[in-house]
Amino acid sequence: MDQLTAMRAFARVVESGSFTRAADSLNMPIATLSKLVKSLEAHLETRLLHRTTRRVVTTPEGMEYYEKAMRVLIDIEDIDTSFRASCCTPKGHLRIDVGGSTARDVLIPLLPDFMQRYPDLRIDLGVSDRPVDLISGNVDCVIRGGPLNDSTLIARHIGDAELLTCATPRYLKTYGVPAYPQELRNGHRLVSYLSPITGRAFPFRFRENGDALEIAVPHYLGVNESNGHLAAAVAGLGIIQTFGYAIRDRLQAGTLVEILRDWRPKAYPFHVVYPQNRHLTHRLRVFIAWLAEVFPAALKNEPGDRPA
């Protein structure tokens, strides 16, 4: 038995909760994966997993072994990475998940630079506003905006984006231009962004005299995907609040008009997030370093600030 390979195979089964998903992520036949785990159990003379037709459950002994094995695997990966990084070009496969408008307006326009720097890397880009499970989904990292509440994840801040409030000129001609945030309660049609998790509308956020202000008004239309949310505003359906990078072209063209500029809320933080017990490979290290280099300016880019 190759004990190191068996440890890695077992760890991936625990992380994904499935032999099928683990085998797919390791590009390994299920039969080979199962044989490795059984060999490891025989070597340890301990049952590590309970297998049923529907799921895999880690035994208490299996969880203890997983935690100790991960420390060994991470140490080995760090040793290998320290030597590879100084002499080798990163190779392999990166799986990244990102929200819709961030993919369209920030990450994808920047990717040619990254892929030119690292031509031996391949990328699978998952684009969705719905959060993914980094472990079971076999994702290397995700790029997300907003506060982070999961202590099992590691996050690196990669910039801040302005939240702008806007509508079409025709809408503003019909319904009037609100002079202050509270006027949104007076007959205006709001197009709210709905949480892909809870389905609840995010309130419109502002800042007044340095203090946070939230306006929660029943929405005229709710949309749970960022590109659709923006399309609703462009169609003249109402007022939206969205990131400046997503509407800079439309503001420059006059398709949308920013309102309530003096009440802009505090900038929204963005992070790249990855599991704390996942091997931080050389390819993921260079991607995170690249994000930290290029993302802050791209997120801040507003009309008039765009580089030539």
Side-chain angles (χ1 to χ4, degrees):
M1 178 189 66
D2 182 340
Q3 187 171 359
L4 188 59
T5 300
M7 289 169 66
R8 286 174 173 151
F10 167 70
R12 189 54 58 88
V13 173
V14 173
E15 292 172 350
S16 63
S18 161
F19 274 84
T20 300
R21 288 194 292 266
D24 288 344
S25 69
L26 294 168
N27 195 25
M28 177 186 295
I30 295 178
T32 302
L33 178 64
S34 179
K35 184 177 179 181
L36 283 169
V37 174
K38 288 179 180 178
S39 298
L40 183 61
E41 289 179 321
H43 171 71
L44 297 171
E45 299 181 354
T46 302
R47 175 63 66 86
L48 302 175
L49 299 170
H50 286 305
R51 304 164 181 82
T52 69
T53 56
R54 294 191 176 186
R55 61 177 183 157
V56 176
V57 178
T58 309
T59 67
E61 295 80 9
M63 185 54 66
E64 181 181 359
Y65 183 80
Y66 168 76
E67 292 172 353
K68 292 179 178 179
M70 283 306 302
R71 290 198 289 269
V72 173
L73 293 172
I74 290 171
D75 285 344
I76 292 172
E77 185 69 31
D78 286 343
I79 293 169
D80 290 348
T81 298
S82 67
F83 282 90
R84 290 195 197 116
S86 62
C87 63
C88 302
T89 301
K91 299 179 181 180
H93 204 173
L94 269 176
R95 297 172 178 86
I96 303 159
D97 193 84
V98 62
S101 65
T102 311
R104 184 196 64 207
D105 297 309
V106 184
L107 181 60
I108 290 175
L110 292 171
L111 272 182
D113 171 64
F114 179 77
M115 302 186 87
Q116 184 176 12
R117 294 191 199 186
Y118 305 106
D120 294 328
L121 285 178
R122 294 179 296 120
I123 292 177
D124 280 355
L125 192 63
V127 180
S128 172
D129 288 358
R130 185 174 295 276
V132 298
D133 187 322
L134 279 81
I135 304 299
S136 64
N138 191 32
V139 176
D140 292 298
C141 67
V142 301
I143 299 169
R144 285 291 185 266
L148 300 171
N149 301 315
D150 192 337
S151 61
T152 67
L153 303 175
I154 296 176
R156 178 167 178 179
H157 181 237
I158 53 172
D160 302 283
E162 294 288 349
L163 272 173
L164 277 57
T165 310
C166 62
T168 62
R170 177 176 292 182
Y171 171 90
L172 295 173
K173 183 177 181 180
T174 302
Y175 292 93
V177 180
Y180 47 88
Q182 288 81 357
E183 279 196 15
L184 295 180
R185 297 189 174 100
N186 300 330
H188 278 285
R189 295 186 170 186
L190 304 187
V191 178
S192 295
Y193 180 75
L194 305 181
S195 166
I197 302 174
T198 66
R200 296 176 181 172
F202 284 95
F204 279 56
R205 295 183 173 94
F206 300 95
R207 188 162 45 175
E208 186 175 34
N209 299 322
D211 296 325
L213 172 68
E214 292 187 352
I215 302 295
V217 180
H219 53 264
Y220 175 68
L221 174 67
V223 185
N224 69 350
E225 194 277 329
S226 51
N227 289 315
H229 183 233
L230 175 57
V234 174
L237 289 168
I239 297 172
I240 69 164
Q241 195 169 70
T242 191
F243 298 120
Y245 63 74
I247 58 174
R248 57 191 166 205
D249 290 341
R250 290 168 177 83
L251 292 176
Q252 288 174 331
T255 308
L256 292 173
V257 176
E258 183 183 4
I259 59 175
L260 302 172
R261 181 183 178 91
D262 292 340
W263 284 268
R264 277 190 190 180
K266 185 178 180 181
Y268 210 67
F270 273 73
H271 301 85
V272 55
V273 183
Y274 55 94
Q276 61 179 342
N277 59 356
R278 178 69 59 80
H279 303 241
L280 189 58
T281 60
H282 185 29
R283 56 185 176 271
L284 183 54
R285 288 180 191 272
V286 299
F287 180 71
I288 292 172
W290 174 79
L291 285 177
E293 174 189 340
V294 303
F295 236 64
L299 288 174
K300 283 185 177 180
N301 236 343
E302 294 184 46
D305 299 333
R306 198 169 195 172

